[in-house]
Amino acid sequence: MTDISNFQARAAAATTRALSATNPAEALAKSLTDADMPKITTAAKNYASLVAARSLTTSQTDAAPASTEAAAASNDGRSGGEVLCTFHKTENPGKASLLCARALLLVINSTEIPDSTTSPGSSTSAISDQNLEREVVRIVWNGLVKKYREGGADPAASKPSMVLGRRSLVHAYPQVLERIRRGEGGGDGGETSLLPANVDHNEAMAFFEEFGKLLLPLGSRDNENEDDDGELIWSIDGGTAELGKRRERRERRGKEAVAAAKADAKAALVASASSSLTIEELPDEENDEVR
């Protein structure tokens, strides 16, 4: 009887696993937590490093103005004018970037995704058909926020930024950015503003705005001649492939510039030779007799 009982228990467990594997919502939830890499915290650190390096290597006139108006004008996608965050109004761009990254993670981990259901009578199947991914992300995300607020033995393990990645943050970031713009606080401190006190307001807002833009896929993804800072932040290889493509583009442009310079020099030489060459007119032979 013991063998039969063990067999039945194993069969029941196998059936449960099989049913879970074939459940689209559960499979999606698992992929969001297990397969979506890198996690949000890592991406935020990568972005902070990118902005700090950019601030040290460019002048204020090289980058687009760090204004909330310009950022908002192109916030709906990455096809519009680029808003590049730089910290030129501080003596320590690295510290300013780190403070903004911490503030960003604070609001991310305390923001819930609102229910998108507009009709009280909407069924679960109807929601799944319309937008399964957003609904699954909302449930997983809000569950983590609740657990993080409640605390526990390891509250850090419940942070959305430590568990989830880009695919989830795409759905949550509009709400995150809305809270930042409204000046709401987050976390246990009850802050009235998420903007770091010692960072210029416009530059800090540009930090949050650009991070949101880099969440979205580049409109001309197939264009090998265009840099994609999003790949430096969100790629699994830490931007190695993107940096390799940039080096190849620089080398190709260098070779093309050298070839163009040689062609221009040759054309100038031919033009110079042509201008110095004098061709004398032949005598008029119209009246010569033909014998």
Side-chain angles (χ1 to χ4, degrees):
M1 294 296 293
T2 302
D3 292 339
I4 296 177
S5 299
N6 290 339
F7 173 78
Q8 291 175 338
R10 291 195 300 271
T15 301
T16 301
R17 288 194 299 270
L19 290 175
S20 298
T22 57
N23 185 317
E26 292 185 12
L28 177 56
K30 184 174 178 60
S31 70
L32 292 174
T33 57
D34 296 351
D36 194 11
M37 304 290 290
K39 300 306 178 185
I40 297 169
T41 295
T42 300
K45 292 178 180 178
N46 293 341
Y47 176 60
S49 298
L50 172 65
V51 173
R54 181 195 292 159
S55 301
L56 294 172
T57 57
T58 62
S59 65
Q60 191 166 5
T61 56
D62 291 334
S67 66
T68 56
E69 291 81 6
S74 57
N75 185 56
D76 293 334
R78 293 181 58 191
S79 57
E82 290 297 327
V83 178
L84 302 179
C85 173
T86 55
F87 292 110
H88 288 120
K89 298 180 180 179
T90 177
E91 296 181 356
N92 192 338
K95 182 178 180 180
S97 189
L98 180 60
L99 289 173
C100 285
R102 287 177 177 173
L104 177 62
L105 292 174
L106 177 67
V107 68
I108 283 175
N109 289 321
S110 61
T111 298
E112 293 188 10
I113 302 175
D115 190 348
S116 60
T117 305
T118 57
S119 173
S122 298
S123 64
T124 303
S125 60
I127 295 174
S128 299
D129 292 338
Q130 294 171 5
N131 199 342
L132 172 64
E133 179 165 305
R134 187 187 186 282
E135 188 63 16
V136 171
V137 168
R138 185 185 70 83
I139 294 172
V140 174
W141 184 286
N142 291 352
L144 289 170
V145 171
K146 183 179 179 180
K147 287 178 64 177
Y148 177 57
R149 285 174 178 169
E150 293 173 350
D154 187 11
S158 300
K159 291 182 179 180
S161 65
M162 298 290 288
V163 179
L164 302 173
R166 184 183 198 175
R167 192 174 175 182
S168 298
L169 188 57
V170 165
H171 297 283
Y173 206 75
Q175 190 71 13
V176 169
L177 200 54
E178 180 183 348
R179 289 187 61 201
I180 293 173
R181 287 171 175 164
R182 290 203 311 259
E184 290 186 0
D188 297 330
E191 297 87 350
T192 58
S193 175
L194 285 167
L195 301 181
N198 297 324
V199 180
D200 178 79
H201 177 273
N202 285 341
E203 290 184 339
M205 285 304 303
F207 183 95
F208 301 125
E209 298 278 2
E210 187 189 9
F211 185 75
K213 288 190 66 177
L214 294 178
L215 269 173
L216 305 176
L218 193 63
S220 53
R221 177 67 66 184
D222 295 332
N223 187 355
E224 293 295 326
N225 295 318
E226 188 168 357
D227 293 346
D228 185 0
D229 286 343
E231 287 298 301
L232 300 179
I233 298 171
W234 290 104
S235 62
I236 299 177
D237 64 3
T240 301
E242 172 67 15
L243 291 175
K245 291 179 181 178
R246 295 186 183 190
R247 283 192 295 270
E248 292 175 0
R249 285 194 290 269
R250 286 197 299 269
E251 292 174 359
R252 184 172 64 251
R253 285 194 293 265
K255 292 178 181 178
E256 292 173 351
V258 170
K262 289 182 178 179
D264 291 343
K266 183 177 181 180
L269 182 61
V270 171
S272 177
S274 300
S275 63
S276 62
L277 180 62
T278 301
I279 300 178
E280 298 181 357
E281 294 185 1
L282 295 175
D284 188 4
E285 299 180 352
E286 182 177 357
N287 296 325
D288 288 355
E289 295 183 358
V290 178
R291 299 171 179 249

